[in-house]
């Protein structure tokens, strides 16, 4: 039939007003029947001039804007910028702050991976249920963020030289409580999803990202590791207190949507191990912000890093989050650039989708784990 | 067996469903199954969530004792440092353009914050050398208009130091300690004058106020 009947390709636009494009993202898809022939991502609907704005404020003034990059992971965004500024200005970080950073970053990873799993299931048609289970757990962690920083999502908490102020009394105990209770939630989620035949059939062998392509396209984070490449900046760079933590880096075999889901589940289990160690080893007292950090926070204009540039990077839940800063010796960055993992991971979308069915494009996008705030900036 | 995974998953949702009822929780307990968290949501606005002490929403101006005794000296540091530039300050001046003073301190004639632009970042609080601005936790401030209703002026921003003490006791204690240390440090050189040291640093006033070096912190 297909040999004899010749039809035109059909073009459809998925998004920008589409519930499963995770914000205002548009995919211009060309279809041959149900099969995707080409897919062009259309970006820029959420562009808000992040980099230029940050060149017009002091280094401290950039922090609240980084909260709005990937609004699921404000803490790790703060951490990435703090690491870059610390390199630029040669700022020391006290021991307790190093551990607090690890604790906050791993809680953020739990928040992100839990929610992305919920969203992925939402995209697959399991509307609501897994997402709300995920959001229930996320809520508990967001309460902790509010306790420490005063805001659930727009934390503005991690600063060059440590964290803005020490965590309040009882915070670490509540983190202990969450860490102890989380495995049960993960078990439950896995019962719900991991062996579910429908999920397996929808995701296994779908959206395969070959190892070589992942490496050559600079894909990072769980997506790269699901393709079987052992690369985790927590191990490679060893920032904050990570060199003292013992944890494994879970790797996938096939690099399909299922592996990306499962790598995230395993990463959450490793995060819990890291949290346990960090909670055990964190110094009970000591400063949470170095003297220089306090000085910078109190009067941001006195901080004039020497001329030069620095690239600070961390393993954010989505991949390598890097901040490139150029200083001309003034209190404001001369150049401020964000290497956003969501954006770079998205570049392989067409390669993963070509030849797949149109319904699969939605879950392949869901498995990339993007947040438009970070893609468009 | 095909379908077993789906059935197990349905077991999870069933248990969650049963666990939202008190009788269901007793049943789960009797069956030795995990009870879960039960109903987790609250029905706003009848019930309201208790916020953490550090919860921040929008800045307010602190006064001691009476509303004309503002801590703010209109030094404009917060105006300069506010990342989205949503604070507008004018220092009170007389006809000869000399700063007016109450209790030996300059004060703002106009202090407006645009709520629609403020992003609750707390940077103004961190940079204020006089502990004059703090974060409120009042968050139900929606209005029907988006013009003047969302521009909070000085009178709308005023709150007493007691209010601050009441909503954020821990933070107020550290702030008070800092103020006390500063007062103690300022006392020895000129014991007779009640003028706080702050006034001299901000006397330049006007537009040049932004270039005033920030006074040292206690
Ligand atoms: S920094 Fe403090 S004293 Fe200066 S203008 Fe702002 S609120 Fe007033
Ligand atoms: S909280 Fe931030 S945005 Fe709001 S007035 Fe203060 S500095 Fe400006």
């Amino acid at each position: 039939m297909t040999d004899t009947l010749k039809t035109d390709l059909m073009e459809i636009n998925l998004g920008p007003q589409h519930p499963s494009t995770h914000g205002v993202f548009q995919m211009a898809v060309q279809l041959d029947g149900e099969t995707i022939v080409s897919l062009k991502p259309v970006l820029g609907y959420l562009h808000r001039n992040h980099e230029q704005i940050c060149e017009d404020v002091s280094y401290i003034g950039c922090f609240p804007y980084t909260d709005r990059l990937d609004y699921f992971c404000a803490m790790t965004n703060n951490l990435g910028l703090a690491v870059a500024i610390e390199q630029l200005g040669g700022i020391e970080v006290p021991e307790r702050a190093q551990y607090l950073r690890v604790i906050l970053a791993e809680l953020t990873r739990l928040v992100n991976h839990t929610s992305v799993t919920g969203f992925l299931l939402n995209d697959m048609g399991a509307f609501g249920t897994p997402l709300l289970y995920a959001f229930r757990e996320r809520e508990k962690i967001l309460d902790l963020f509010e306790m420490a920083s005063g805001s659930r999502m727009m934390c503005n908490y991690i600063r060059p030289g440590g964290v803005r102020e020490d965590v309040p009394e009882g915070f670490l105990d509540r983190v202990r409580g969450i860490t102890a209770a989380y495995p049960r939630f993960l078990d439950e989620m896995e019962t719900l999803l991991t062996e579910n035949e429908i999920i397996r059939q929808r995701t296994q062998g779908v959206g395969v990202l070959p190892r070589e392509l992942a490496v050559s396209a600079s894909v990072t984070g769980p997506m790269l590791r699901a393709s079987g490449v052992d690369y985790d900046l927590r191990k490679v760079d060893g920032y904050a207190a990570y060199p003292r933590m013992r944890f494994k880096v879970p790797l996938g075999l096939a690099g399909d949507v299922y592996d990306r889901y499962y790598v995230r589940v395993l990463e959450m289990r490793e995060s819990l191990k890291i949290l346990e160690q960090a909670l055990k080893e964190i110094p009970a007292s000591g400063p949470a912000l170095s003297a220089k950090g306090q000085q910078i926070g109190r009067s941001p204009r006195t901080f004039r890093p020497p001329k030069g540039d620095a690239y600070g990077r961390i393993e954010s839940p989505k991949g390598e989050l890097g901040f490139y800063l150029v200083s001309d010796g003034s209190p404001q960055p001369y150049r401020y650039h964000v290497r956003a993992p969501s954006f770079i991971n998205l570049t392989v979308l067409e390669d993963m989708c070509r030849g797949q069915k149109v319904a699969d494009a939605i879950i392949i996008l869901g498995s990339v784990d993007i947040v438009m705030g970070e893609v468009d900036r | 067996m095909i379908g077993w995974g789906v059935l197990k998953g349905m077991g999870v949702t069933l248990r969650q469903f049963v666990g939202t009822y008190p009788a269901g929780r007793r049943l789960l307990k009797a069956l030795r199954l995990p009870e879960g968290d039960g109903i987790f949501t609250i029905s706003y606005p009848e019930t309201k969530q208790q916020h953490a002490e550090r919860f921040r929403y929008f800045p307010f101006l602190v006064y001691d004792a009476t509303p004309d005794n503002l801590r703010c000296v209109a030094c404009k540091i917060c105006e300069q440092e506010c990342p989205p530039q949503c604070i507008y300050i004018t220092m009170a001046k007389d006809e000869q353009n000399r700063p007016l003073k109450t209790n030996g301190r300059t004060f703002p004639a106009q202090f407006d914050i645009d709520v629609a632009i403020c992003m609750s970042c707390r940077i103004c609080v961190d940079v204020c050398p006089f502990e004059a601005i703090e974060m409120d936790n009042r968050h139900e401030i929606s209005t029907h208009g988006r013009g003047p209703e969302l521009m909070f002026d000085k009178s709308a921003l005023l709150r007493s130091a007691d209010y601050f003490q009441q909503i954020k006791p821990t933070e107020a204690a550290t702030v008070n300690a800092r103020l006390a240390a500063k007062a103690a440090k300022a006392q020895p050189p000129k014991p007779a004058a009640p003028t706080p040291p702050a006034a001299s640093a901000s006397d330049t006033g006007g537009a040049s106020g932004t270039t005033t070096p920030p006074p040292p912190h206690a």
Side-chain angles (χ1 to χ4, degrees):
Chain A
M1 191 68 178
T2 39
D3 297 337
T4 52
L5 189 65
K6 200 97 184 99
T7 54
D8 277 348
L9 295 181
M10 184 162 77
E11 289 188 17
I12 58 170
N13 284 313
L14 292 169
Q17 282 86 16
H18 192 281
S20 59
T21 53
H22 300 254
V24 279
F25 176 59
Q26 184 185 353
M27 297 185 276
V29 192
Q30 274 194 328
L31 296 177
D32 180 9
E34 283 277 307
T35 312
I36 295 174
V37 178
S38 80
L39 183 148
K40 294 275 165 281
V42 186
L43 304 168
Y45 290 101
L46 205 61
H47 178 67
R48 32 205 213 294
N49 221 351
H50 175 82
E51 294 181 359
Q52 185 71 56
I53 289 175
C54 288
E55 286 161 17
D56 278 342
V57 293
S58 66
Y59 285 91
I60 291 293
C62 300
F63 279 88
Y65 290 111
T66 61
D67 292 338
R68 283 134 179 105
L69 277 174
D70 170 1
Y71 37 80
F72 274 89
C73 313
M75 287 287 188
T76 44
N77 295 344
N78 290 171
L79 177 56
L81 182 56
V83 166
I85 294 179
E86 279 152 15
Q87 277 183 23
L88 195 64
I91 303 167
E92 297 292 316
V93 183
E95 191 69 5
R96 184 170 161 87
Q98 299 279 30
Y99 279 94
L100 284 177
R101 285 176 170 196
V102 168
I103 291 171
L104 295 168
E106 292 310 316
L107 285 175
T108 308
R109 203 175 310 280
L110 289 179
V111 167
N112 183 75
H113 287 0
T114 312
S115 329
V116 72
T117 309
F119 278 123
L120 179 65
L121 267 291
N122 223 22
D123 293 346
M124 261 183 254
F127 203 77
T129 309
L131 180 63
L132 289 179
Y133 291 173
F135 267 37
R136 184 187 62 205
E137 300 307 311
R138 166 178 179 258
E139 200 66 21
K140 295 175 191 164
I141 299 179
L142 291 190
D143 281 347
L144 287 181
F145 287 171
E146 180 182 299
M147 188 174 171
S149 74
S151 184
R152 288 152 38 89
M153 290 175 76
M154 304 295 134
C155 302
N156 185 15
Y157 185 62
I158 297 177
R159 285 284 173 82
V163 297
R164 195 179 66 217
E165 49 190 330
D166 205 345
V167 290
E169 226 170 283
F171 176 84
L172 293 177
D173 286 330
R174 280 183 67 178
V175 180
R176 276 187 197 102
I178 295 240
T179 314
Y182 223 82
R184 216 200 71 213
F185 162 71
L186 287 181
D187 292 343
E188 193 179 88
M189 196 172 77
E190 281 210 64
T191 320
L192 188 62
L193 307 175
T194 304
E195 286 172 38
N196 190 312
E197 288 84 359
I198 304 175
I199 291 174
R200 291 196 159 204
Q201 289 190 0
R202 278 302 302 278
T203 56
Q204 285 183 333
V206 169
V208 175
L209 177 66
R211 207 187 140 98
E212 297 71 32
L213 178 62
V215 173
S216 62
S218 306
V219 169
T220 46
M223 236 179 112
L224 177 70
R225 295 192 281 274
S227 294
V229 184
D230 186 0
Y231 182 76
D232 187 324
L233 286 176
R234 290 174 293 176
K235 292 271 190 202
V236 175
D237 274 13
Y239 57 93
Y242 281 115
R244 273 159 278 174
M245 304 287 145
R246 288 167 307 280
F247 63 99
K248 297 196 199 97
V249 178
L251 298 179
L253 289 171
D256 55 10
V257 174
Y258 186 81
D259 275 13
R260 271 170 236 144
Y261 151 72
Y262 204 58
V263 159
R264 290 197 177 101
V265 173
L266 293 176
E267 273 190 17
M268 283 194 269
R269 295 201 186 268
E270 294 303 314
S271 287
L272 291 172
K273 276 189 214 157
I274 299 176
L275 277 172
E276 266 168 28
Q277 293 168 44
L279 286 166
K280 209 177 288 161
E281 292 168 19
I282 183 170
S285 60
L289 187 58
S290 67
K292 183 141 190 223
Q294 273 174 10
Q295 152 84 25
I296 298 171
R298 276 288 197 161
S299 27
R301 302 273 153 182
T302 57
F303 177 57
R304 294 160 179 270
K307 277 197 183 107
D309 60 351
Y311 179 66
R313 56 180 192 173
I314 59 152
E315 182 74 28
S316 95
K318 294 187 165 60
E320 174 180 338
L321 174 68
F323 287 88
Y324 179 62
L325 299 170
V326 180
S327 165
D328 58 354
S330 72
Q332 290 167 199
Y334 175 75
R335 179 77 177 96
Y336 169 105
H337 175 73
V338 188
R339 183 223 186 268
S342 297
F343 175 60
I344 291 171
N345 290 357
L346 201 55
T347 52
V348 288
L349 185 64
E350 183 174 15
D351 302 279
M352 290 192 289
C353 288
R354 208 179 291 125
Q356 307 276 340
K357 300 282 180 267
V358 64
D360 293 335
I362 303 289
I363 60 168
I364 294 171
L365 177 69
S367 74
V368 179
D369 185 10
I370 58 161
V371 162
M372 285 319 279
E374 192 177 64
V375 175
D376 282 346
R377 301 196 285 287
Chain B
M1 189 188 83
I2 291 271
W4 179 236
V6 178
L7 281 178
K8 272 203 307 193
M10 285 178 170
V12 171
T13 37
L14 181 66
R15 198 174 65 226
Q16 295 279 352
F17 172 71
V18 173
T20 49
Y21 296 96
R25 291 170 73 77
R26 282 195 295 276
L27 177 71
L28 288 178
K29 206 167 180 183
L31 295 174
R32 291 164 198 251
L33 288 169
E35 295 161 66
D37 300 308
I39 290 189
F40 190 68
T41 47
I42 53 169
S43 53
Y44 179 86
E46 290 82 24
T47 347
K48 284 183 187 170
Q49 200 179 3
Q50 192 64 41
H51 284 296
E53 188 192 327
R54 287 188 185 171
F55 174 70
R56 58 175 204 261
Y57 193 65
F58 192 68
F60 65 88
L61 286 173
V62 189
Y63 65 82
D64 293 305
T66 54
D68 58 354
N69 197 11
L70 272 183
R71 284 186 192 169
C72 175
V73 300
C75 69
K76 296 197 178 196
I77 292 176
C78 57
E79 187 187 42
Q80 186 195 12
E81 290 301 336
C82 169
Q85 298 279 299
C86 65
I87 310 181
Y88 306 90
I89 303 170
T90 334
M91 191 187 275
K93 301 266 179 76
D94 62 12
E95 295 85 58
Q96 279 95 41
N97 209 24
R98 283 184 313 229
L100 288 170
K101 292 191 180 185
T102 47
N103 303 321
R105 273 178 304 198
T106 50
F107 63 95
Q110 176 213 16
F111 196 113
D112 296 349
I113 300 185
D114 194 336
V115 198
I117 296 178
C118 170
M119 55 179 180
S120 312
C121 66
R122 203 182 186 279
I123 283 182
C124 48
V125 178
D126 289 344
V127 298
C128 176
F130 304 97
E131 322 288 352
I133 189 165
E134 294 294 345
M135 295 304 278
D136 207 341
N137 59 12
R138 199 170 52 100
H139 58 279
E140 289 156 322
I141 55 171
S142 54
T143 65
H144 287 286
R146 57 176 182 180
E149 295 90 342
L150 289 177
M151 187 66 116
F152 281 19
D153 62 6
K154 201 170 97 183
S155 59
L157 291 170
L158 283 179
R159 296 280 182 286
S160 67
D162 290 341
Y163 174 77
F164 179 43
Q165 176 80 39
Q166 188 195 329
I167 60 166
K168 302 193 170 180
T170 323
E171 207 184 320
T174 44
V175 165
N176 289 342
R178 267 208 300 267
L179 284 174
K182 206 165 147 184
K185 220 161 127 192
Q187 224 48 41
K190 32 178 184 171
T195 318
S200 59
S202 54
D203 264 354
T204 44
S208 61
T210 49
T211 54
T212 311
H217 294 290

